[in-house]
Amino acid sequence: MNYTSNPGKLALSKLHNPELLVRECYVGGEWVSGDGLKDVIDPGTLLSVFETAQCGVDIVDICIAHAEQSRSDWQSRLPVERGLILRKWAKLIRKNADDLAVIISVEQGKPLFESKGEVEYGASFLDWFAAEGERALGQSLPSHKPNMFTTNFAQPIGISLAITPWNFPLAMITRKAGAALAAGCPMIVKPAAETPLSASALAVLAAEAGIPGGVFQVIHGDASTLCAALLKHPEIRALSFTGSTRVGQILLEQAAGTVKRCSMELGGNAPFIVFEDANLEQAVQACMEAKFATSGQDCLAANRVYVHDNLHDEFVALLAGKIENLQVGYGLNVSTQIGPMTVAGTVIKCAEMVRDAVQEGAVIVTGETSKNDGGYFVTPLLLTGVTDDMKISREEIFAPIVSVLRFNDVCDVIQRANDTEMGLAAYVYTASMSTALWASEALEYGMVAVNAYSFTGPPLPFGGWKQSGLGREGSTLGINEYLENKNVSFGGICPHIPD
Ligand code: ADP
């Protein structure tokens, strides 16, 4: 492709469906201009590619009024009807997949093939929850009293709020909205400021699919002001957040005032453990995938790679060879495997983390920290000699940096892997079923991948232990975040039978 000096802007101007590109916020079925505009920056060029309307705090009451107005109609529709609309939304997303992928790559930076994958991943949650809504079962319970019939109704919790991150600007919305809408709950979405365009494009397609205007709304503006105001509202009954643990903690405090149901997908610090009997080639390839997906900006990314002493040197040599072949570049270039970081802070944080690790004895096997090609680029880098107490092991790297630690003792490595406040995902490579089972049971993580990577999808409960989060998304559990239980007990059911 031949790009001008602003390739992102050019690509957006050439979308097959130009209607997907919108500046405004989507409120009550209308596109609302707000109080001003904010540039959308392409992290691969640092150039502005579009703008987004910035709404002030007065939009919050308006959004909630629209959600409230549409709530009873939406929740009273048959689940099968809501499901049909969700499936239509998924179909439209797939129909516009190429354009949506371009939008994602331009505003987020990820390689185009990954953006296409995200579009399909995002659509798959709508299909999944369309069906789950039809199976949102209550229960009939064995009564503990004579002549009583007792039940559990599962009913929509009410208006929900989604605060979504920039690393999966489309799929983190559909994973939440699919569950909420299937359950009968309107959702207000506040996407990350870095990636507003994917969210607005989803709203365009939601409207086309027939989702009522008050049922799915998207607002842009200052995150802390808008979210604080939204979370004060008693009408919002559920919050679903994906982002950092730091922000999650702030939101939990704000939600506590009105005791909202909170579902939190927070930070990770995934151990990737290569046991002595692992298939080396497979483990190396999996490490590449588990580390470099989304250019390392993934909460499931392998953060601490523990390799058994007997495999260490060979593993590192193979991994270094593969890392050196990675193509770093602009997201829309077809050869790109690693795109720019989405936010500037990552580049600075990476340089500091690597510098600190090297000062404490780590060794750079391949890669450099100083290269900058005009965007927020970080060259893939491999560090060995990393220890558990280094900052690079204690914190989530969220960048294409691999940090290798050694181990000798199988029990010790599990203890080291668990020695973190986080507990999202862990990876295990071993040829032994008993090691696999034992390690899976011992790891204090919400998701364990054994001889596997890239494992998430609609059927799996996505979520973490400890400070990695609360609740689960996807799977048969995800819809529960938007359902309230109501026990209804009927007395005098068999009046002809004496008590
Ligand atoms: P990351 O570290 O991945 O950037 P953040 O936790 O900073 O994740 O951001 C995730 C989401 O939270 C984004 O939509 C962002 O706009 C929003 N956000 C950030 N700070 C706040 C805040 N103080 N209150 C509410 N939302 C916030």
Side-chain angles (χ1 to χ4, degrees):
M1 245 186 274
N2 182 21
Y3 289 115
T4 64
S5 54
N6 192 341
K9 194 167 181 169
L10 180 69
L12 293 182
S13 75
K14 291 187 169 173
L15 295 181
H16 302 292
N17 181 1
E19 287 178 10
L20 291 177
L21 204 56
V22 211
R23 279 178 187 78
E24 291 80 13
C25 301
Y26 187 64
V27 176
E30 305 284 334
W31 293 99
V32 176
S33 291
D35 305 332
L37 292 170
K38 186 175 190 295
D39 283 324
V40 179
I41 302 297
D42 177 345
T45 60
L46 309 191
L47 297 171
S48 170
V49 289
F50 207 66
E51 311 91 17
T52 331
Q54 299 294 289
C55 280
V57 77
D58 47 343
I59 203 70
V60 166
D61 284 341
I62 300 171
C63 269
I64 290 172
H66 284 296
E68 192 53 44
Q69 213 170 32
S70 54
R71 186 163 75 93
S72 59
D73 164 58
W74 185 249
Q75 71 182 35
S76 66
R77 295 198 196 189
L78 291 175
V80 68
E81 188 189 342
R82 293 197 294 260
L84 280 173
I85 295 176
L86 286 174
R87 287 189 179 96
K88 187 164 177 204
W89 194 15
K91 204 170 165 188
L92 288 167
I93 289 171
R94 291 193 175 100
K95 188 175 155 202
N96 288 277
D98 288 348
D99 282 347
L100 292 168
V102 168
I103 293 173
I104 294 172
S105 284
V106 169
E107 66 177 357
Q108 201 276 345
K110 68 176 75 173
L112 197 56
F113 76 92
E114 287 191 338
S115 297
K116 287 183 182 164
E118 179 178 347
V119 174
E120 176 49 37
Y121 182 66
S124 70
F125 284 101
L126 299 179
D127 284 335
W128 173 267
F129 282 115
E132 281 302 297
E134 293 172 36
R135 292 190 283 262
L137 307 175
Q139 283 171 308
S140 118
L141 306 166
S143 177
H144 62 301
K145 297 245 167 149
N147 300 340
M148 196 170 83
F149 180 75
T150 190
T151 62
N152 186 34
F153 290 1
Q155 294 185 286
I157 195 167
I159 303 171
S160 60
L161 168 65
I163 304 176
T164 55
W166 46 257
N167 60 343
F168 287 89
L170 185 142
M172 292 306 98
I173 295 178
T174 53
R175 194 163 77 182
K176 298 176 191 308
L181 269 56
C185 301
M187 176 165 265
I188 299 167
V189 180
K190 166 68 188 79
E194 291 81 1
T195 54
L197 302 179
S198 306
S200 298
L202 277 179
V204 171
L205 300 175
E208 197 180 332
I211 296 173
V215 171
F216 182 77
Q217 305 182 80
V218 175
I219 56 172
H220 309 293
D222 181 67
S224 52
T225 318
L226 288 179
C227 295
L230 284 158
L231 290 172
K232 266 202 190 107
H233 259 275
E235 288 87 347
I236 292 186
R237 294 310 321 143
L239 162 67
S240 180
F241 171 71
T242 298
S244 62
T245 298
R246 180 187 62 83
V247 174
Q249 286 162 337
I250 296 171
L251 300 177
L252 281 171
E253 279 181 23
Q254 292 176 347
T258 46
V259 193
K260 300 187 196 309
R261 173 85 57 78
C262 291
S263 151
M264 299 263 144
E265 301 299 346
L266 308 176
N269 182 356
F272 185 104
I273 306 171
V274 184
F275 286 100
E276 190 180 7
D277 60 355
N279 178 312
L280 193 65
E281 278 78 21
Q282 283 176 11
V284 169
Q285 187 53 37
C287 182
M288 292 293 292
E289 305 284 350
K291 177 75 233 184
F292 292 109
T294 326
S295 310
Q297 303 174 110
D298 190 325
C299 49
L300 302 181
N303 213 55
R304 295 167 289 154
V305 181
Y306 291 100
V307 185
H308 191 275
D309 272 342
N310 293 347
L311 294 183
H312 178 275
D313 293 353
E314 210 181 334
F315 182 93
V316 167
L318 286 171
L319 194 64
K322 286 186 186 284
I323 290 174
E324 280 156 16
N325 283 330
L326 283 172
Q327 297 291 312
V328 181
Y330 189 62
L332 293 179
N333 289 344
V334 282
S335 58
T336 295
Q337 293 169 291
I338 303 290
M341 302 295 97
T342 311
V343 295
T346 310
V347 181
I348 300 157
K349 188 180 149 196
C350 283
E352 285 172 4
M353 269 187 171
V354 172
R355 187 199 57 211
D356 289 358
V358 168
Q359 269 174 10
E360 291 169 36
V363 175
I364 299 177
V365 178
T366 183
E368 52 184 314
T369 54
S370 55
K371 198 159 166 261
N372 193 327
D373 290 332
Y376 299 138
F377 288 98
V378 170
T379 312
L381 187 143
L382 172 59
L383 279 173
T384 54
V386 175
T387 54
D388 293 301
D389 51 353
M390 291 179 184
K391 194 172 174 184
I392 204 157
S393 301
R394 308 303 312 166
E395 293 189 9
E396 193 174 23
I397 303 169
F398 232 61
I401 297 176
V402 189
S403 155
V404 177
L405 302 87
R406 308 179 76 112
F407 77 92
N408 208 312
D409 182 274
V410 291
C411 294
D412 184 48
V413 76
I414 298 292
Q415 203 180 341
R416 290 166 65 191
N418 285 340
D419 184 19
T420 163
E421 288 133 13
M422 300 303 163
L424 192 61
Y427 301 84
V428 170
Y429 266 76
T430 175
S432 150
M433 185 53 101
S434 67
T435 304
L437 281 172
W438 167 78
S440 306
E441 204 271 332
L443 285 163
E444 295 166 352
Y445 288 81
M447 295 170 278
V448 179
V450 180
N451 297 331
Y453 56 86
S454 183
F455 57 90
T456 64
L460 276 73
F462 190 107
W465 286 21
K466 303 196 255 181
Q467 293 185 33
S468 286
L470 295 171
R472 291 294 179 270
E473 290 193 290
S475 78
T476 54
L477 305 177
I479 200 163
N480 294 336
E481 305 294 337
Y482 303 92
L483 291 172
E484 264 298 9
N485 289 302
K486 181 188 287 169
N487 169 247
V488 182
S489 297
F490 302 86
I493 284 300
C494 298
H496 55 284
I497 300 176
D499 281 352

